[in-house]
Amino acid sequence: PKRWVIDTGKWQWVTVFQKLSYHPAQELSAAIPGLKNKGVLRVGADADLLVIDPKRLDDWATYQHPNQASRGIRHVFVSGQWVVRDGTFNSKVSPGTLLRSNQP
């Protein structure tokens, strides 16, 4: 995302998040009914949230070191639980549920 918004200036942040989150959620919801409440913020929706610091956002993962955490990820909420808080990963939680395409 940083490359397209900051480095090249070709996209706005809203475009990046639509392409990476909203549009895939919309496509998948047609195939997996359990995803019908994903990708939107509204009462009753099952939204996972990501809060970034756009000035610090950078991907450090490489093919040689694929498990390097991205920089600039401030907070991540999954199913209402903190997974990343103030940039620190919480390994004690495991929120979310596995959804299969044959689930209602």
Side-chain angles (χ1 to χ4, degrees):
K2 176 184 175 268
R3 178 175 56 143
W4 293 103
V5 177
I6 296 172
D7 297 345
T8 68
K10 291 185 178 185
W11 290 349
Q12 299 293 318
W13 281 111
V14 67
T15 304
V16 170
F17 288 113
Q18 285 175 337
K19 290 179 177 289
L20 295 177
S21 181
Y22 178 74
H23 292 159
Q26 296 299 303
E27 291 291 322
L28 289 171
S29 69
I32 305 171
L35 291 178
K36 68 182 177 188
N37 286 319
K38 291 282 191 187
V40 294
L41 289 176
R42 68 171 180 250
V43 175
D46 182 22
D48 301 333
L49 301 174
L50 170 71
V51 178
I52 65 166
D53 178 348
K55 293 180 181 177
R56 294 190 62 227
L57 190 63
D58 205 1
D59 185 10
W60 288 68
T62 65
Y63 285 109
Q64 295 79 19
H65 303 284
N67 295 326
Q68 300 296 313
S70 295
R71 306 288 161 92
I73 305 296
R74 298 301 306 144
H75 308 294
V76 178
F77 298 89
V78 176
S79 297
Q81 293 186 32
W82 292 95
V83 176
V84 175
R85 187 174 196 164
D86 295 323
T88 303
F89 176 69
N90 180 359
S91 62
K92 296 178 182 174
V93 298
S94 184
T97 54
L98 175 66
L99 297 173
R100 299 185 186 278
S101 62
N102 62 350
Q103 285 181 310

